[in-house]
Amino acid sequence: MPPSVVAPAAVSTTPLTTAPLTTAPPTPRSPTLAPLLASLLGFTVITVDVSAVNIALPAIRTSLHGGMAGLQWVVDAYTLMFAALMLSAGALADRAGARRAYAWGVGLFTLASLACALAPGIGALIAARIAQGGAAAIVMPASLALIRQAYDDPRRRARAIALWTVGGSVAMAAGPVLGGVLTEMAGWRAVFLLNLPIGAVILALLARTAPSPRRPAPIDLAGQATAVLALAGLAFAVIEGGHLGWTSAPVLGAAALAVAAGFGFYAAEKRHRAPMVPLGLLRERKVSVSLAIGFAVNAGFYGIVFLLGLYFQQLRGMSAIAAGLMFVPLAVIITSTNLVSPRMAERIGRRRVIVAGQAVLALAMFVLLPLAADTPLWLVLVLLIPTGTGGAFAVPALTALLMDAVPADRAGTASGLLNALRQTGGAMAVALFGALLVSDNATGFSLAGMREALLAVGLLLCATTALAAWLLPRDGARR
């Protein structure tokens, strides 16, 4: 979950339960490394899967004969299910127990990865990606809950969560590189087959992990169903609008479904005694502004990764390995900026860091507008610097601001909601970029469409930058 992965909501890993964490069983004085390794591996593999597949898309298109819409669904089927189900996955972890829910999630993810690798056609691959995304939504909150269970000492727990966070961030940034190497050396199916031995190792580690307690946690089925329908309808409308026409019957029908499901979601959350998304939270200025910013930041980052994976291979004719290696500087920048951001927030204030990070990411969209097929590669790498810096600078401070804006018993809810909106922003960017990139030329890549997409996301980031500067309160800073 790019461009930085932050998990400050360790005090509550589920959006729906408010039961105190003191109900967990006592943790041994010297906890084993098994829970931490299992959590880190699971979080890493579901994060890598988000970005590594982007580099494999041209090979998938050649192998399975899918069009641009099919490639968009390969990415978005995973991301949308990840985003939609994340809202209630924490409740499932509470009801089943973190270890059991984590084992279910990892087992399903591993089987879905095998189905992806064996997919005979683009439709089968998309269906398997839906299952992968649903499994990833279970894995993420359960992985953090395992760490919370294993490390009762605050200092050791903080170090464990920091390692978990950095691992996810590095995995997201390194995903394109790994995807390129695997695709070039062993074919695109290897990107998914790699998950099988990792899944087996995780399950073996879970066998050495203490059982988790179960807690009563109601699941908001109506809210969950309407959330999935709303996101699916919106994604279909945007993806297929660029191919079938924006006024075609299927596109208009999908848009109508998205609107109706959105109203249904609002009604379900208003009536449910334990809603996935307490509507009162959205009335808090810090919360609503943070969610809008999270959506926009991920739209910028995911959109760029999707765009450049196709740009390097389809327009410039680069191999998968070469295209993946082009993301190495970006990975280094993201990782190093993640480490600097919290310190800068402490020194100059979170609001300034959030505003500056967004402004830099907006700049990244605009400086990429002149890209062409013959742009020197060294210049492309230079132009990518703002992309790696902006989002990674803003997101840690944004997440910390959001956590401070909600009561402790709502931290899990707020964290899950922010991550869901961030994933949705990325999915919508892929849908938009893909719809605009379609071309009838030999490369199948439209430079004009690329520039329209960059301009649209850049303007969105300008809007949320202004929103943050105007509505977020000034905070104290250490001088």
Side-chain angles (χ1 to χ4, degrees), residues 55 241 322 376 409 467:
I55 298 299
D409 63 347
L467 200 66

Side-chain angles (χ1 to χ4, degrees), residues 3-4 6 290 293-294 296-298 334 337-338 340-342 344-345 349-361 386-402 418 422 461 464-465 468 472:
S4 69
V6 184
S290 296
I293 294 170
V297 167
N298 262 43
I334 290 172
T337 305
N338 275 180
V340 172
S341 175
M344 291 300 298
R350 293 170 182 165
R351 175 178 169 274
R352 291 179 179 176
V353 169
I354 293 169
V355 170
Q358 287 186 95
V360 171
L361 191 56
T387 300
T389 305
F393 195 60
V395 170
L398 174 70
T399 312
L401 176 75
L402 178 63
L418 175 62
R422 290 180 63 193
L461 283 161
T464 54
T465 301
L472 290 183

Side-chain angles (χ1 to χ4, degrees), residues 46-56 171-176 179 301-302 305:
I46 66 171
T47 305
V48 165
D49 228 64
V50 175
S51 57
V53 172
N54 281 282
I55 298 299
M172 183 62 216
F301 185 82
Y302 273 76
V305 173

Side-chain angles (χ1 to χ4, degrees), residues 55-65 71 183-184 187-188 313 320:
I55 298 299
L57 290 178
I60 292 173
R61 184 176 191 172
T62 301
S63 173
L64 302 183
H65 309 290
L71 298 184
T183 300
E184 188 73 16
W188 64 267
Q313 295 180 77

Side-chain angles (χ1 to χ4, degrees), residues 281-423:
L281 274 183
L282 302 181
R283 300 188 191 100
E284 295 290 334
R285 179 182 297 179
K286 287 183 181 179
V287 174
S288 57
V289 173
S290 296
L291 295 178
I293 294 170
F295 180 96
V297 167
N298 262 43
F301 185 82
Y302 273 76
I304 288 296
V305 173
F306 176 77
L307 165 71
L308 292 181
L310 297 175
Y311 166 80
F312 288 135
Q313 295 180 77
Q314 290 190 193
L315 191 64
R316 303 198 64 131
M318 297 174 66
S319 67
I321 288 182
L325 290 176
M326 292 296 291
F327 287 89
V328 170
L330 190 63
V332 173
I333 292 171
I334 290 172
T335 303
S336 58
T337 305
N338 275 180
L339 300 176
V340 172
S341 175
R343 299 177 185 177
M344 291 300 298
E346 184 182 355
R347 293 182 64 87
I348 67 175
R350 293 170 182 165
R351 175 178 169 274
R352 291 179 179 176
V353 169
I354 293 169
V355 170
Q358 287 186 95
V360 171
L361 191 56
L363 175 65
M365 302 297 114
F366 298 136
V367 299
L368 290 173
L369 287 174
L371 280 187
D374 57 351
T375 302
L377 289 179
W378 67 265
L379 180 57
V380 176
L381 293 176
V382 170
L383 295 179
L384 282 178
I385 292 176
T387 300
T389 305
F393 195 60
V395 170
L398 174 70
T399 312
L401 176 75
L402 178 63
M403 292 302 101
D404 285 351
V406 299
D409 63 347
R410 292 296 188 187
T413 303
S415 178
L417 188 57
L418 175 62
N419 282 315
L421 262 291
R422 290 180 63 193
Q423 294 294 327

Side-chain angles (χ1 to χ4, degrees), residues 65-388:
H65 309 290
M68 179 62 75
L71 298 184
Q72 290 169 269
W73 279 117
V74 168
V75 176
D76 274 356
Y78 180 92
T79 308
L80 287 171
M81 288 302 291
F82 195 173
L85 297 184
M86 196 185 302
L87 293 172
S88 60
L92 176 62
D94 273 356
R95 289 172 67 94
R99 189 184 73 165
R100 180 175 295 182
Y102 193 55
W104 288 349
V106 170
L108 176 59
F109 187 86
T110 304
L111 291 176
S113 297
L114 178 60
C116 287
L118 298 178
I122 197 73
L125 178 58
I126 292 170
R129 289 285 284 170
I130 291 174
Q132 265 197 320
I138 299 172
V139 167
M140 184 175 179
S143 69
L144 190 57
L146 276 180
I147 294 177
R148 177 62 182 87
Q149 172 188 321
Y151 293 88
D152 198 44
D153 177 71
R155 292 186 178 181
R156 299 186 71 174
R157 184 171 65 245
R159 289 195 293 268
I161 292 174
L163 182 60
W164 181 89
T165 300
V166 171
S169 181
V170 172
M172 183 62 216
V177 182
L178 181 61
V181 172
L182 289 174
T183 300
E184 188 73 16
M185 301 298 294
W188 64 267
R189 298 179 191 272
V191 175
F192 300 107
L193 288 174
L194 179 66
N195 298 336
L196 273 60
I198 297 176
V201 171
I202 294 172
L203 293 176
L205 289 169
L206 287 177
R208 302 176 56 188
T209 302
S212 305
R214 302 185 189 185
R215 307 177 192 173
I219 295 180
D220 182 3
L221 293 178
Q224 184 63 82
T226 51
V228 171
L229 286 174
L231 290 178
L234 181 59
F236 184 94
V238 177
I239 290 175
E240 300 298 338
H243 306 277
L244 301 178
W246 298 103
T247 59
S248 64
V251 171
L252 293 178
L257 174 63
V259 172
F263 280 111
F265 178 80
Y266 174 83
E269 301 308 277
K270 192 173 182 179
R271 296 175 182 175
H272 201 279
R273 63 186 178 89
M276 293 189 308
V277 182
L279 298 179
L281 274 183
L282 302 181
R283 300 188 191 100
E284 295 290 334
R285 179 182 297 179
K286 287 183 181 179
V287 174
S288 57
V289 173
S290 296
L291 295 178
I293 294 170
F295 180 96
V297 167
N298 262 43
F301 185 82
Y302 273 76
I304 288 296
V305 173
F306 176 77
L307 165 71
L308 292 181
L310 297 175
Y311 166 80
F312 288 135
Q313 295 180 77
Q314 290 190 193
L315 191 64
R316 303 198 64 131
M318 297 174 66
S319 67
I321 288 182
L325 290 176
M326 292 296 291
F327 287 89
V328 170
L330 190 63
V332 173
I333 292 171
I334 290 172
T335 303
S336 58
T337 305
N338 275 180
L339 300 176
V340 172
S341 175
R343 299 177 185 177
M344 291 300 298
E346 184 182 355
R347 293 182 64 87
I348 67 175
R350 293 170 182 165
R351 175 178 169 274
R352 291 179 179 176
V353 169
I354 293 169
V355 170
Q358 287 186 95
V360 171
L361 191 56
L363 175 65
M365 302 297 114
F366 298 136
V367 299
L368 290 173
L369 287 174
L371 280 187
D374 57 351
T375 302
L377 289 179
W378 67 265
L379 180 57
V380 176
L381 293 176
V382 170
L383 295 179
L384 282 178
I385 292 176
T387 300

